[in-house]
Amino acid sequence: MEAQKLSNLSYSDYISVEETTGIKHEYHDGMVVAMSGGTLEHALIGGKIFNLVSIHIGEKNKKCIALNSDAKLYIKASNKFLYPDAMVVCGDFEKPKNEVSAVMNPTVIIEVLSKSTEAYDRGDKFFFYRQIPSLQEYILIDQYSPLVDIHTKQGDLWGIERVTGLDSQIAFTSLGIELNLKDIYEDVVFESSEL
């Protein structure tokens, strides 16, 4: 299903579209794109990663909070509002002026990859996310196999580590936590029976 696009809308028009339709939309400096629904596996992984991160950062007593896919992210440098699958904000929320339902300062952003969004999540969306000064890690979780790519900011550059297999763990360096892939993928049925 292709996402519906509306062009040349002001920010107030964008907010009105969301309030009127009850559907989440991305805002790209005047262009509004309705977000399409995901698969059951996408929902399972998104919910599981949010819960696991919330629990683990709570155990570390960090001043960090996990946000699910209902939280809106504003990227000031490119005038965009996006809805990551999950985010972690450490410290106080920074919000755009006159917008109470968006944050600007995530430390970690997590996306669950789908066939229709993988190229966008790895390409343009990652470019937009890299414009966020507070961002330290960008986590991409494959929904079709136990595979996670961890992008970590290293000075002005970004490193990448790929972790595969249900017996593996991923480390969130900026949060000081580790998660087991078997827990992230719990109840997910993969298309291939080879796993």
Side-chain angles (χ1 to χ4, degrees):
M1 181 166 128
E2 188 173 331
Q4 176 187 4
K5 296 180 183 181
L6 303 171
S7 299
N8 301 319
L9 293 178
S10 68
Y11 169 73
S12 60
D13 291 337
Y14 160 64
I15 295 300
S16 179
V17 166
E18 282 206 322
E19 289 174 352
T20 303
T21 64
I23 298 171
K24 293 188 283 190
H25 294 75
E26 289 187 346
Y27 179 81
H28 297 270
D29 196 22
M31 184 173 72
V32 176
V33 181
M35 297 180 64
S36 58
T39 63
L40 175 61
E41 288 75 17
H42 189 284
L44 283 169
I45 295 166
K48 193 62 80 169
I49 192 73
F50 166 73
N51 287 330
L52 290 168
V53 169
S54 295
I55 291 166
H56 281 74
I57 60 177
E59 291 172 351
K60 292 285 185 180
N61 295 320
K62 294 185 70 83
K63 180 135 174 45
C64 298
I65 188 164
L67 303 169
N68 67 18
S69 61
D70 289 332
K72 197 181 320 186
L73 170 64
Y74 179 62
I75 305 172
K76 184 176 183 179
S78 52
N79 193 28
K80 295 185 183 300
F81 285 92
L82 305 174
Y83 286 93
D85 289 319
M87 296 184 280
V88 177
V89 176
C90 295
D92 295 331
F93 291 135
E94 293 176 18
K95 300 178 182 181
K97 188 176 180 180
N98 300 324
E99 174 56 63
V100 297
S101 64
V103 297
M104 298 170 55
N105 60 320
T107 300
V108 175
I109 295 176
I110 302 166
E111 295 286 4
V112 179
L113 300 175
S114 66
K115 290 176 182 170
S116 63
T117 65
E118 182 173 2
Y120 175 51
D121 288 340
R122 292 186 181 281
D124 287 345
K125 201 174 211 182
F126 186 32
F127 173 78
F128 304 143
Y129 287 161
R130 289 194 310 263
Q131 297 172 351
I132 303 168
S134 63
L135 188 64
Q136 296 299 308
E137 290 178 288
Y138 180 47
I139 313 295
L140 296 170
I141 303 174
D142 192 302
Q143 69 173 295
Y144 306 106
S145 65
L147 182 151
V148 178
D149 286 336
I150 305 161
H151 297 267
T152 305
K153 191 173 184 179
Q154 302 167 348
D156 292 334
L157 302 175
W158 286 82
I160 183 171
E161 176 188 3
R162 175 164 283 181
V163 178
T164 60
L166 291 174
D167 294 331
S168 300
Q169 290 184 325
I170 59 170
F172 291 72
T173 306
S174 62
L175 304 176
I177 65 172
E178 291 185 352
L179 301 179
N180 296 314
L181 263 64
K182 68 179 177 184
D183 295 332
I184 294 170
Y185 287 100
E186 185 180 12
D187 298 323
V188 173
V189 177
F190 298 109
E191 292 177 2
S192 172
S193 61
E194 299 173 12
L195 302 175

